[in-house]
Amino acid sequence: SLRLALRFQPGVLHLNFTNQQSVVLYRSIQEALTNMMRHSESRTADIKFEIIAQKDFRVEISHPVTQKIRIIEGFGLTSMRERLVTIGGRLNFSQTEDQLSLIFQFPLEVKK
């Protein structure tokens, strides 16, 4: 089983995404959780949704780790990065002794 804690910054739930942004968002979260379950012992993740400076949408998916993990971008992460680039986004990683975070961000667009 998978345990998720979702945190939404005020205003996030009222955002309207383009179809392309919605697909990239869904696939990116799916890939991040799949990687966590495949490459870590953790079944617990925190997902934080934020608006940055009223212009970017940011998602941070964090989970506990017991040791430093060497991140190698295989097909899944490469595909995620490429999908994010198509909507002007980017992918980053952050790691401490006890936590690994995958962070992606893309510009907000007004849905036409």
Side-chain angles (χ1 to χ4, degrees):
S1 83
L2 183 59
R3 211 180 202 145
L4 301 176
L6 305 175
R7 291 188 281 159
F8 300 92
Q9 180 190 50
V12 165
L13 293 176
H14 299 291
L15 292 173
N16 288 313
F17 296 110
T18 65
N19 286 341
Q20 186 179 19
Q21 288 173 324
S22 295
V23 169
V24 170
L25 178 60
Y26 174 81
R27 293 285 184 214
S28 296
I29 292 170
Q30 181 182 44
E31 180 63 29
L33 294 175
T34 298
N35 280 343
M36 178 192 79
M37 294 194 60
R38 190 176 291 153
H39 301 294
S40 128
E41 296 171 12
S42 180
R43 296 294 176 262
T44 303
D46 291 318
I47 306 177
K48 184 169 34 171
F49 301 90
E50 300 175 291
I51 300 168
I52 306 296
Q54 298 300 315
K55 66 180 185 69
D56 280 2
F57 183 67
R58 181 179 189 268
V59 178
E60 181 174 347
I61 302 170
S62 304
H63 65 86
V65 292
T66 55
Q67 61 188 11
K68 199 107 165 134
I69 295 174
R70 184 166 168 247
I71 297 168
I72 299 168
E73 285 195 32
F75 178 77
L77 289 175
T78 299
S79 296
M80 182 193 301
R81 186 181 297 283
E82 289 170 356
R83 278 194 293 270
L84 284 161
V85 166
T86 66
I87 60 169
R90 60 190 180 277
L91 173 65
N92 292 299
F93 304 95
S94 172
Q95 195 168 172
T96 63
E97 288 180 14
D98 61 353
Q99 183 169 289
L100 175 65
S101 297
L102 181 144
I103 302 149
F104 60 92
Q105 187 167 322
F106 57 85
L108 292 169
E109 291 178 14
V110 176
K111 191 171 182 179
K112 295 177 177 68

